[in-house]
Amino acid sequence: MTTNEARPEVLRYTAFSSDPDGGNPAGVVLDASALDDNDMLAIAADLGYSESAFLTAPPEGLGGQEGRAYSIRYFSPKAEVPFCGHATVATAVALAERIGSGELVFATRAGTVPVEVAEEGGTLRATLTSVEPHIEEIADTDLDEALAALGWPVADLDPAFPPRIAFAGARHLVLAAATRARLADLAYDFARLEALMHRLDLTTIQLVWRESATVFHVRDPFPVGGVVEDPATGAAAAAFGAYARELGLVPEDAVLTLHQGEDLGRPGELTVTLRAGDPRVHVSGTGTRIS
């Protein structure tokens, strides 16, 4: 973007909450056609949110209705990420306010992500469908390093939830706390965890605690993005849904509720839907404009 060109409008929306003070805020640029990579990174850094989303014209062959299909890129304050769930939800809500509810299609660097936006009682709710997920084991030495960086003894893990790396558009290490108190007490070595995450190509660490059969509390350290913690993480929610299903921790058909952001004073709620015969994961939540 040259100095003679006007900076595009940068919207501010929160995702996974209908309260501007809850959920996870994201920057949204509905027309980023005049921006290069450095411009997008600078906008994301200036906002300071965990991610911001930037829309441009869709690639040929993407599909979707005319005017409802886009290319989308996501930048944290420090780097581009391949996929971001909360910024997708925020962008979908922003678009629906302008062009109406219905189906949207986004071409992300992780693959094609359709999103359905519906109005429920005067509130917009967006449901994204992930790319096909997978999980993999983590080496013992890498797990030891992650726990050391977090300051978590092995005894604080829930043995029913084996540590795994899960992917549904981005890679996340899933670690389950044995107690809610363990999850609430998060004070980690930023540089040490960041170094490990870069080496393993992780976007966040998905820390979870199981309240009941279908209700979980989660937190997501995000040092590689330049922020201590992500307040509500749609990509990690999708990865967790795939993880829980593949390991038989939940049924093939299930609706999970994830509470996130409570420990940060920005409570949000993510709904993860799993459907038998469909390997993808569906993550939904509300969203609203901040300013």
Side-chain angles (χ1 to χ4, degrees):
M1 184 172 66
T2 68
T3 54
N4 295 325
E5 291 178 296
R7 173 172 167 163
E9 184 179 14
V10 181
L11 306 173
R12 294 165 173 81
Y13 276 74
T14 195
F16 302 115
S17 176
S18 56
D19 180 351
D21 293 325
N24 195 353
V28 178
V29 177
L30 296 179
D31 181 6
S33 56
L35 303 179
D36 62 21
D37 290 13
N38 290 332
D39 296 326
M40 288 185 265
L41 184 60
I43 289 171
D46 182 54
L47 283 172
Y49 297 152
S50 55
E51 278 102 357
S52 294
F54 300 85
L55 295 184
T56 55
E60 228 175 290
L62 177 63
Q65 298 177 32
E66 186 174 353
R68 302 187 69 90
Y70 303 87
S71 294
I72 186 168
R73 294 174 69 183
Y74 312 95
F75 284 80
S76 77
K78 290 182 72 172
E80 184 173 10
V81 298
F83 176 65
C84 172
H86 88 272
T88 300
V89 167
T91 300
V93 169
L95 285 169
E97 289 179 347
R98 290 156 177 81
I99 63 176
S101 300
E103 176 129 347
L104 300 161
V105 181
F106 294 114
T108 79
R109 297 215 157 174
T112 301
V113 175
V115 181
E116 182 73 29
V117 185
E119 187 173 339
E120 300 178 358
T123 299
L124 291 171
R125 186 176 188 86
T127 301
L128 67 86
T129 299
S130 77
V131 299
E132 189 160 339
H134 62 264
I135 69 170
E136 62 189 69
E137 295 196 10
I138 180 171
D140 289 343
T141 54
D142 292 331
L143 174 59
D144 290 344
E145 179 63 11
L147 294 176
L150 289 167
W152 283 26
V154 174
D156 283 356
L157 295 178
D158 184 341
F161 288 75
R164 294 287 190 275
I165 293 171
F167 170 90
R171 287 163 57 85
H172 307 266
L173 172 59
V174 179
L175 298 173
T179 65
R180 182 67 178 89
R182 172 70 279 175
L183 185 70
D185 184 14
L186 182 61
Y188 68 91
D189 186 324
F190 190 97
R192 188 172 182 177
L193 191 60
E194 180 184 21
L196 174 69
M197 292 173 68
H198 277 302
R199 183 162 60 77
L200 298 180
D201 190 27
L202 300 175
T203 299
T204 73
I205 307 294
Q206 173 83 332
L207 305 175
V208 307
W209 174 73
R210 187 173 203 164
E211 178 182 311
S212 69
T214 59
V215 177
F216 298 83
H217 294 256
V218 300
R219 301 185 73 173
D220 282 82
F222 188 34
V224 295
V227 296
V228 173
E229 184 176 351
D230 208 7
T233 320
F240 175 71
Y243 157 94
R245 176 176 56 193
E246 185 162 329
L247 294 181
L249 300 168
V250 298
E252 286 188 29
D253 269 308
V255 178
L256 313 178
T257 300
L258 275 57
H259 295 286
Q260 190 173 356
E262 293 173 347
D263 298 295
L264 293 172
R266 294 196 64 93
E269 183 175 295
L270 303 86
T271 301
V272 176
T273 302
L274 306 170
R275 300 171 185 160
D278 182 358
R280 301 168 303 171
V281 181
H282 311 273
V283 177
S284 62
T286 57
T288 192
R289 189 162 184 173
I290 296 172
S291 61

